[in-house]
Amino acid sequence: MSVPSLLFLAFSLAAAVAYNLPFGRIWRSLILLAANVAFLASFAPSPVSLLPFAGFLLFGYVAVRTLQAKRTGALMWLLVAATLFVFLWLKRYPVAPAELFLNYPYLTIGLSYVFFRVMHLVIDAGQGQLTTSLPWLSYTNFTLNFLSLVSGPIQRYEDYTEQQDRKTSGINALTLVKVAERVTLGVFKVFVVSMLLLDQHKLAVAALGYDLSAAESIGITLQIVLLYPLYLYANFSGYCDVVIALGRLFRLELPENFNRPFSSENFINFWSRWHITLSGWLKTYVYSPLMMALMPSVRSGAAVDALIGAFAFFVTFFLVGAWHGTTTEFLFFGLLQGGGVAVNKLYQVFMAARLGKKGYRALSNNAFYSAVCRGLTFVWFGFTMLWFWGDWATIASLGLAIGWVGGLLAFAIALILMTAILALYVALMKFIDVGAAGGWKHSRVMLATAQLTAIWAFAVIFSTPAPEIVYKAF
Amino acid sequence: MKIRITRDFFVLPLLALATFAGCIALAEGFARVVVQEDLLDTCWDKDSYKPNCVSRMKIAEGPAVTMRYNECGSRSDASCAPPPPGEFRIVTLGSSVSSGYGVPLEEMYSSVAAKQLSARCNRSVGFQHVTMGWQGSSAQDVAQTAQAPAEKALGLKPNLLLVILTSWDLYKYAETEGAQVAVQTAAPPAPSGGLRDSAIFQLGQSLMAYLREQRETSRFVLMVRGLLYRNEEYFLDGYLANAEESGYMRAPLAASWEQRLAMFETTMTAIQEKASAAGVPIAIAYSPADGQVLAGRRSGRKDLDPTQLSGRFAEIAARHGWAFIDPLPRFIDAPPRLQLFYRVNGHPSAAGDALLGASIADTVAATPTLGCQS
């Protein structure tokens, strides 16, 4: 079942109607379980293909309950390592000889996001931070939640149970309108915006096979580098809009995954606005423990602290990138993410030392400096994305097509272009924020209708198939 | 945002409806300004072109083209009077592609082929065109309908009768009564009764039919299709989605396509009888479809055989002793950047016509029985 599709929306609405019948908490949990299992099963070619998935869930449950019953540091690390190993083994990372992998087709869709939830429970249970009970029904519904199974967002268990325990659904006419408005926005982003951007991006990549002039090479490079982040944003955030909105019908307040990432003025800030729940998870379970472990107990000077901070950032965001897959392209993508935030951190420390904290703050508040930094952040992210969607051969053909001089020129043009565009974007967002705070009821209805019209046109008139959600592959 | 039950429940839906209508009007209005298209060739009259007529037409994706027809209604600047001694005259029989629809005369396949053949055969080569549709309620009916154009073509004293054929010509035959039988074997009729007889269902059907009709005439739809179809993959997916139209690429051929081929053979045999009596050899040129060319460039599509149809044409032609011209390999091997077709419209562009013309020239020059070299 594709998310978002008409079938998925109909499925979710039918489940929401059943879920909200006044039969109490157990009923709601059972409906949610049925919906979760049905959704997962819709991807399974056979019941047997679900067994490894079920085994992983069972393993996680046993690990968490064991740690709740007997909490020791050694046991926690053993179970953390074992959970990680089982996940990597199921995802066929090279952690074991190839002969030891299961040699039949089994379901792994959403396994990464299930892993994040299970690992969060294992670590929290091991550290004694999982204070609530963990009935199997809650565990299964939390880990398998059909709204966030495919690509997140990654919710925390305590938030999930607190929301499910609420006495009232909080659903009224206004909630329904807001749900409809956000679902429309999400489907519009995926169905129309991301489709058009992907189309143009594919055309640009295909043009690499042509005999291009220098000016054409630069134009093509700009499209390839700049369009993909916009496409990915429209695709992924559109998906999140849909599932977060639908979550409201199931007493769920799924965490936001995006917060206007392209308004970020540096790469560290960017990663606190892009795929927020993943970077937040890694900050909690990788960055913070790593910092704690690396920081010397006695003061060692600002330079050492800065290096440790940069190193911890590097490791964390290397994992953000490398998590996407087993290929060398993803590893390099991870290196560029980790390298980007580490250099960003060192730059901040260096500038603060050179200009003083006040001076650096004043510089950061300078409108022109901010705009250029915003442009640079976007262009860097777009550049790193080459290793996210492309393979080495495509990247090499791009490099050959444009050359060093063309590449530098393309970079300069991209920086100027994105600096100007994003400055306008930020100004527009401020204007919209002011208007939205005042209500803007009529314009919101008009905007949602216009989006619906575009969706209708693409779906019905052009018979456009909805693009796949990119993160479904991970 | 606070919704007031009393007024908002009327105002907001009305506003939504107005927005919907406004979006459609704006989009269509914008497209009509941006996209210029005039497909109507005013020289067309029922089943042939008016003699000594000049018109202008424009396919959205192509240039504005002046269509000039001579005294026989043939798209040519040359007279259709009997050719001077020594000139090798080729008369084409076919539908819109054979008349160079949307392509300037000087870039039309016949101009390209005439130029190349003149050089290779060391004699003047000229083209005349006669329109022939592949329509009728049965194979025999189509063959009967083809009699008049064939006689008209032979009346122009050709040295060679060249039939220009497309998969679309044969596909459109499915819309005629004869092919309905075959199509119905593939898709059983929808059950009647129950919901299907309800007024709401009928209204829905009418609405969908209306929308489909509007889809074909809307300039906005045309504009967005042009935008989307720049992506070859997307275009090919759409082309393949029409399983009947693109069915000639799937092996084994469906019964409906076998029926079309039988119709083709029956019709061509009837034409051959007349041509043989006049001592005129026959050649058949197959002008490929855009989707077929794209499928041919994608080696990954194991389920498709884009060469299947031309292979079958070649078999039929060989059986009857007709020359067969197959430009498909040339189209497939052409640089991908060349726009060989007006993609939304479906007709070959000037670049496509150039390849068709070159293929005709190659085969005609290389086939002694066709008589160009003599």
Side-chain angles (χ1 to χ4, degrees):
Chain A
M1 196 185 303
S2 177
V3 185
S5 63
L6 274 179
L7 181 63
F8 177 76
L9 291 178
F11 172 80
S12 303
L13 291 177
V17 169
Y19 177 90
N20 285 292
L21 293 175
F23 297 140
R25 169 77 200 258
I26 296 293
W27 166 263
R28 291 199 302 272
S29 295
L30 289 174
I31 290 297
L32 211 47
L33 179 69
N36 293 337
V37 172
F39 180 72
L40 185 66
S42 74
F43 295 101
S46 67
V48 180
S49 67
L50 285 167
L51 287 179
F53 210 114
F56 181 70
L57 280 181
L58 184 64
F59 177 87
Y61 186 67
V62 172
V64 177
R65 293 307 297 256
T66 305
L67 284 167
Q68 279 188 314
K70 186 183 179 186
R71 186 159 57 87
T72 68
L75 184 61
M76 184 191 84
W77 283 114
L78 179 70
L79 289 173
V80 164
T83 308
L84 181 63
F85 176 80
V86 174
F87 166 71
L88 294 174
W89 173 67
L90 286 175
K91 291 283 277 184
R92 297 176 187 273
Y93 280 80
V95 290
E99 307 84 65
L100 293 182
F101 290 132
L102 296 175
N103 60 357
Y104 76 98
Y106 57 89
L107 199 69
T108 57
I109 194 164
L111 192 63
S112 297
Y113 288 92
V114 170
F115 162 77
F116 288 124
R117 294 185 196 107
V118 169
M119 187 60 109
H120 135 65
L121 288 172
V122 170
I123 296 174
D124 283 13
Q127 292 179 337
Q129 290 170 359
L130 190 66
T131 50
T132 53
S133 63
L134 189 72
W136 73 269
L137 193 53
S138 277
Y139 169 82
T140 310
N141 278 338
F142 168 68
T143 49
L144 275 189
N145 185 350
F146 79 97
L147 290 169
S148 53
L149 177 78
V150 173
S151 309
I154 307 163
Q155 194 179 26
R156 292 189 65 79
Y157 180 69
E158 48 272 34
D159 295 337
Y160 170 80
T161 48
E162 184 271 322
Q163 289 159 14
Q164 288 300 298
D165 286 339
R166 285 178 188 169
K167 299 289 180 208
T168 56
S169 68
I171 296 176
N172 53 36
L174 186 58
T175 316
L176 293 177
V177 169
K178 284 183 174 175
V179 167
E181 184 185 26
R182 192 156 183 190
V183 167
T184 304
L185 173 67
V187 176
F188 173 73
K189 280 181 180 176
V190 176
F191 226 104
V192 180
V193 182
S194 85
M195 209 291 257
L196 288 174
L197 289 168
L198 178 64
D199 194 53
Q200 189 57 43
H201 187 262
K202 278 184 176 175
L203 280 174
V205 175
L208 286 176
Y210 303 157
D211 189 15
L212 299 170
S213 67
E216 284 175 325
S217 299
I218 290 173
I220 292 295
T221 305
L222 287 174
Q223 289 181 50
I224 288 175
V225 171
L226 302 182
L227 288 181
Y228 197 84
L230 298 174
Y231 154 68
L232 186 59
Y233 174 69
N235 184 277
F236 196 10
S237 74
Y239 155 85
C240 289
D241 285 331
V242 171
V243 297
I244 289 171
L246 291 175
R248 295 291 300 274
L249 305 179
F250 296 89
R251 301 188 185 206
L252 283 172
E253 288 174 26
L254 293 173
E256 294 293 339
N257 234 355
F258 294 90
N259 179 20
R260 295 181 185 169
F262 300 135
S263 62
S264 309
E265 289 159 10
N266 62 61
F267 207 48
I268 295 173
N269 183 241
F270 174 84
W271 270 111
S272 65
R273 290 164 171 267
W274 176 279
H275 208 168
I276 297 169
T277 57
L278 173 67
S279 52
W281 191 98
L282 284 164
K283 278 180 199 163
T284 305
Y285 295 111
V286 177
Y287 176 79
S288 298
L290 194 59
M291 280 292 282
M292 297 272 280
L294 292 176
M295 274 294 176
S297 49
V298 290
R299 288 196 62 82
S300 51
V304 174
D305 287 356
L307 282 175
I308 290 172
F311 177 72
F313 262 128
F314 175 81
V315 172
T316 306
F317 287 94
F318 167 73
L319 290 176
V320 166
W323 155 80
H324 289 93
T326 56
T327 64
T328 53
E329 285 88 347
F330 282 127
L331 278 180
F332 195 73
F333 176 66
L335 284 175
L336 292 175
Q337 301 310 310
V341 286
V343 168
N344 195 165
K345 182 72 191 164
L346 290 174
Y347 172 79
Q348 286 176 337
V349 172
F350 172 77
M351 291 299 279
R354 191 173 173 86
L355 302 177
K357 281 187 179 172
K358 266 190 176 177
Y360 182 49
R361 199 176 302 126
L363 177 67
S364 300
N365 289 335
N366 178 285
F368 180 72
Y369 177 82
S370 299
V372 174
C373 287
R374 211 178 287 125
L376 186 62
T377 302
F378 184 95
V379 174
W380 170 253
F381 184 61
F383 171 72
T384 66
M385 286 262 108
L386 291 175
W387 284 267
F388 180 86
W389 59 263
D391 54 22
W392 289 107
T394 309
I395 297 163
S397 64
L398 177 64
L400 285 173
I402 194 163
W404 282 106
V405 177
L408 286 173
L409 201 57
F411 169 75
I413 296 171
L415 182 57
I416 293 167
L417 199 66
M418 291 318 296
T419 298
I421 290 173
L422 293 176
L424 284 173
Y425 163 75
V426 168
L428 181 69
M429 286 300 114
K430 278 184 184 162
F431 173 72
I432 287 175
D433 286 345
V434 172
W440 273 13
K441 184 169 52 187
H442 297 103
S443 47
R444 285 170 71 172
V445 168
M446 288 168 73
L447 184 64
T449 309
Q451 289 164 355
L452 270 176
T453 308
I455 295 164
W456 168 78
F458 272 72
V460 178
I461 300 183
F462 310 120
S463 311
T464 317
E468 281 293 349
I469 300 302
V470 178
Y471 269 77
K472 184 181 165 187
F474 308 126
Chain B
M1 187 169 75
K2 189 178 176 187
I3 294 184
R4 278 179 292 167
I5 300 292
T6 49
R7 223 178 70 184
D8 288 341
F9 271 57
F10 296 100
V11 172
L12 296 182
L14 281 175
L15 188 64
L17 270 177
T19 307
F20 175 74
C23 285
I24 301 285
L26 264 176
E28 187 62 25
F30 175 74
R32 284 189 183 272
V33 172
V34 172
V35 180
Q36 297 298 318
E37 183 169 78
D38 184 5
L39 298 179
L40 183 68
D41 184 346
T42 51
C43 290
W44 178 250
D45 183 22
K46 291 181 186 169
D47 55 1
S48 62
Y49 293 99
K50 294 176 196 165
N52 297 314
C53 183
V54 178
S55 66
R56 275 178 73 81
M57 53 95 56
K58 186 181 182 308
I59 293 175
E61 302 152 281
V65 176
T66 301
M67 308 289 276
R68 291 188 300 274
Y69 300 92
N70 64 14
E71 71 273 27
C72 295
S74 168
R75 193 161 175 230
S76 170
D77 283 340
S79 166
C80 62
E87 179 178 308
F88 187 77
R89 172 173 282 184
I90 300 174
V91 176
T92 67
L93 260 180
S95 54
S96 55
V97 172
S98 74
S99 291
Y101 187 82
V103 177
L105 182 59
E106 57 279 9
E107 295 177 77
M108 202 173 139
Y109 72 90
S110 51
S111 303
V112 174
K115 199 173 170 184
Q116 293 185 14
L117 280 171
S118 296
R120 290 162 75 170
C121 300
N122 290 316
R123 62 198 288 198
S124 170
V125 175
F127 274 79
Q128 296 292 324
H129 309 282
V130 174
T131 305
M132 186 187 93
W134 298 81
Q135 285 162 354
S137 57
S138 66
Q140 284 68 30
D141 200 15
V142 178
Q144 186 61 40
T145 311
Q147 297 293 310
E151 282 169 11
K152 184 179 176 184
L154 292 167
L156 295 173
K157 307 291 178 202
N159 300 93
L160 172 66
L161 189 61
L162 175 64
V163 176
I164 310 268
L165 188 72
T166 67
S167 61
W168 175 256
D169 292 329
L170 300 191
Y171 166 67
K172 286 298 281 181
Y173 171 64
E175 290 188 348
T176 62
E177 195 184 324
Q180 289 298 321
V181 179
V183 174
Q184 280 170 11
T185 57
S192 59
L195 184 65
R196 287 181 174 273
D197 286 342
S198 68
I200 292 180
F201 187 83
Q202 296 298 329
L203 185 69
Q205 292 280 68
S206 306
L207 183 67
M208 287 310 289
Y210 173 76
L211 288 175
R212 271 196 292 274
E213 193 184 311
Q214 294 308 308
R215 182 170 70 174
E216 297 312 313
T217 54
S218 163
R219 207 68 68 76
F220 175 65
V221 172
L222 182 72
M223 187 177 80
V224 179
R225 273 192 179 152
L227 194 72
L228 296 175
Y229 286 175
R230 290 176 310 154
N231 186 339
E232 294 178 349
E233 207 175 295
Y234 180 73
F235 172 77
L236 181 59
D237 285 348
Y239 185 70
L240 295 175
N242 186 340
E244 191 57 38
E245 184 184 350
S246 60
Y248 61 87
M249 288 195 276
R250 297 181 198 282
L253 271 182
S256 54
W257 274 95
E258 289 290 358
Q259 188 173 349
R260 290 181 178 106
L261 281 174
M263 179 276 291
F264 163 75
E265 190 168 2
T266 306
T267 305
M268 284 304 303
T269 307
I271 292 173
Q272 187 194 19
E273 282 174 20
K274 292 193 175 299
S276 297
V280 177
I282 289 181
I284 296 161
Y286 172 66
S287 178
D290 197 358
Q292 190 179 11
V293 174
L294 293 181
R297 287 177 181 168
R298 277 163 174 70
S299 52
R301 298 298 301 254
K302 303 289 181 211
D303 56 326
L304 299 176
D305 180 4
T307 62
Q308 179 174 228
L309 187 62
S310 40
R312 293 292 297 274
F313 283 138
E315 278 173 30
I316 294 170
R319 214 160 42 230
H320 294 274
W322 309 322
F324 180 64
I325 299 162
D326 184 12
L328 181 60
R330 206 183 279 257
F331 272 71
I332 290 172
D333 293 339
R337 207 175 187 185
L338 267 185
Q339 294 295 320
L340 302 175
F341 296 89
Y342 300 127
R343 184 150 286 162
V344 179
N345 181 274
H347 283 87
S349 65
D353 254 26
L355 297 185
L356 178 60
S359 298
I360 291 170
D362 281 353
T363 306
V364 172
T367 311
T369 52
L370 298 182
C372 182
Q373 301 274 17
S374 59

